[in-house]
Structures are given as C-alpha cells and as structure tokens.
Amino acid sequence: MQVETTNICNAHCLFCPHDKFEKFGTMTDELYEKILTEARQLPNLKLFIPMLTGEPFCDKNFVERLKLTRNKLPLTEIEVYTNGSLLTTEIIDEIKDIVGLHISVSLNGFKPETRKKLMGLDDYYYVIRMLKYMESVGMKYRITMVYYPEISVYELSDFVNAGGMAIQYQSWAGEQYPYERRRWCSCGRAMNCMTVLYTGEVNLCCFDPFGKVIFGDLNHQTIEEIWKSEKHREYQNVHKQGRGAEMPVCCHCTEG
C-alpha cells in the first residue's frame, strides 16, 4: 500500500512529471490515521510506503507519521523514498530505531554536476554527509539513480560499482514521453497494490500521479470497499490475463 502524505517536492527532476502538477497539498492527520486503522485489518499487507510523487520530508509531520505507522502496523515493512536533501542528523536520530524501516535515497549521480542537472538540487556533498551519518549510527539505506538518456554509461557503471542501484527511466504512462504498449502486460502494481493520493482518492498506481484512473475515495469509503469495487476488479482481472495493455493509462506505461 502506497499513501501520499504530500505531493509537495523541493526538486525539479527531469525524469519526473511533478513539475506538471497544478495542485499541491498534504493529507490530513484524520485521513492518514483512518487509513492506517483500516490497513491494520488487512490480512496480507506486506509493505507500506508513505509517499508517492512528492518529497516525503516536505511534510512537516512526516517523522511523527512514520512513528504512528510503526505503531499501527507493527508487522508491516515500511519503505521511504527521499531525495535526501531535507535529512538532518536530528531527523536521522529520530527514525534510526524504527524497526522495519527501509530508506531509499535518490542520489541520481556519481558527481554533484549530474545530481544538479537531473534534479535541480545543488546539495550533493550535503546528502553524502547525511549518508555517512546514517552509516555512523548503524542505519542502513539504499542509493538509486535513474538511468536518464543523457547520463553516460560510464558514470552509471561507476555508480553501480560503488553500490548504487540503477532504475529504468519510465514513460510515466505517457507523461514523460509517448509510448504505446503493444505486447502483453501483467503488472503487479495493478493486481496487488493500492495507491492513495493526498486527497484520499485511490488512483491506479504510482505511475498515475495525476489520478487519471480513480477507483474511489477513502474519505467516504473503506479500503475493502474500494479494493472489491467493480472497476478495481476489472483492472486486476485483465492484468491477470496478461491483457493489461488494453486498459486506459496502462496502455502508455513502460512498467509491468
């Protein structure tokens, strides 16, 4: 389950459609707690990701929300993706002991020039210091880099050899570049995941940040009601048959 606590971001990544957003906001505390309370009743919830397209630490209550998530979902793994620019030693000290918390830092470069070019962030060495501090307090993390077309294969190779993880540059269902799916598609996101926008609307997946496909609204419905809704079942069943490319939004997606 992936829940967008905020869609606000301090970066301007070339590989992300975030700069096309026209509305910004942060999920209310009441809605976030409602989602966690219902999620606790799910029998097979293995992973909870409290972010979507925004930078999670732009949410001023994010650290407390992480603690609340751990309290409400004691047996579920928590994964957070961040660009690392807003991390501080104080924040790291607060979250380092949260059991089952996995941090993935989007460094996007093996040198400061690349990070600045890809993300608009001139803070490469600051983020490196925060990563070293995480190491010093025994906190594990992962660093990633999107293989944007203009990045040299040599820098990508150096990044991976240093322990980083390369991520495919995605079409974001046609938002970043035109793409028409012409082969079978059986996407695990459509079959097994639920994604919630900061407004409470349940959209198709993390590659549908504009909510072009909406299954319901958790302000007025329960997780179970939306999961079992006719529209959601249709997407699940078509993907199970390998025919996901026939569905709106999925037909323009490079994932799955």
Side-chain angles (χ1 to χ4, degrees), residues 173-213:
E175 290 294 338
Q176 288 301 95
Y177 55 85
Y179 181 80
E180 290 294 331
R181 191 94 185 193
R182 299 189 182 280
R183 61 182 179 87
W184 68 271
C185 178
S186 184
C187 184
R189 286 179 170 83
M191 294 185 287
N192 305 314
C193 302
M194 175 177 279
T195 309
V196 188
L197 301 175
Y198 80 90
T199 58
E201 293 175 300
V202 175
N203 64 328
L204 175 58
C205 72
C206 57
F207 288 114
D208 177 33
F210 297 94
K212 291 182 178 179
V213 176

Side-chain angles (χ1 to χ4, degrees), residues 8-158:
I8 298 170
C9 188
N10 62 329
H12 299 279
C13 300
L14 298 179
F15 48 80
C16 177
H18 186 273
D19 281 351
K20 297 180 181 179
F21 282 5
E22 296 181 351
K23 295 182 179 180
F24 300 91
T26 299
M27 184 174 286
T28 65
D29 292 336
E30 293 77 14
L31 178 56
Y32 190 73
E33 188 161 358
K34 173 185 181 291
I35 292 172
L36 289 178
T37 299
E38 293 181 11
R40 187 170 186 165
Q41 308 304 316
L42 300 176
N44 298 306
L45 182 61
K46 294 181 173 60
L47 179 65
F48 189 89
I49 304 174
M51 58 83 60
L52 187 56
T53 313
E55 163 54 44
F57 288 98
C58 283
D59 176 359
K60 61 183 177 62
N61 295 323
F62 190 65
V63 171
E64 294 306 313
R65 286 181 169 178
L66 282 179
K67 295 177 181 178
L68 180 63
T69 303
R70 179 73 294 150
N71 178 263
K72 290 279 191 177
L73 305 174
L75 302 178
T76 302
E77 298 293 302
I78 304 170
E79 189 158 6
V80 171
Y81 297 83
T82 173
N83 61 42
S85 64
L86 300 179
L87 288 174
T88 63
T89 55
E90 292 78 13
I91 287 175
I92 293 169
D93 286 339
E94 281 203 71
I95 66 176
K96 64 182 176 64
D97 294 323
I98 297 178
V99 178
L101 173 63
H102 307 279
I103 300 289
S104 184
V105 180
S106 301
L107 190 59
N108 285 303
F110 200 58
K111 51 189 178 182
E113 295 83 6
T114 306
R115 178 175 168 90
K116 185 176 182 180
K117 178 180 180 179
L118 287 189
M119 307 179 73
L121 295 173
D122 192 13
D123 58 359
Y124 180 86
Y125 292 113
Y126 174 80
V127 176
I128 293 295
R129 289 201 302 274
M130 291 302 101
L131 295 176
K132 290 185 179 296
Y133 185 75
M134 290 169 72
E135 290 179 13
S136 72
V137 297
M139 189 173 183
K140 295 182 179 180
Y141 60 86
R142 177 180 68 182
I143 57 172
T144 64
M145 180 178 185
V146 173
Y147 191 18
Y148 192 70
E150 295 183 17
I151 301 303
S152 76
V153 67
Y154 303 105
E155 181 171 1
L156 183 72
S157 178
D158 289 341

Side-chain angles (χ1 to χ4, degrees), residues 161-174:
N161 289 335
M165 177 182 176
I167 298 177
Q168 177 186 349
Y169 175 44
Q170 301 283 358
S171 70
W172 286 82

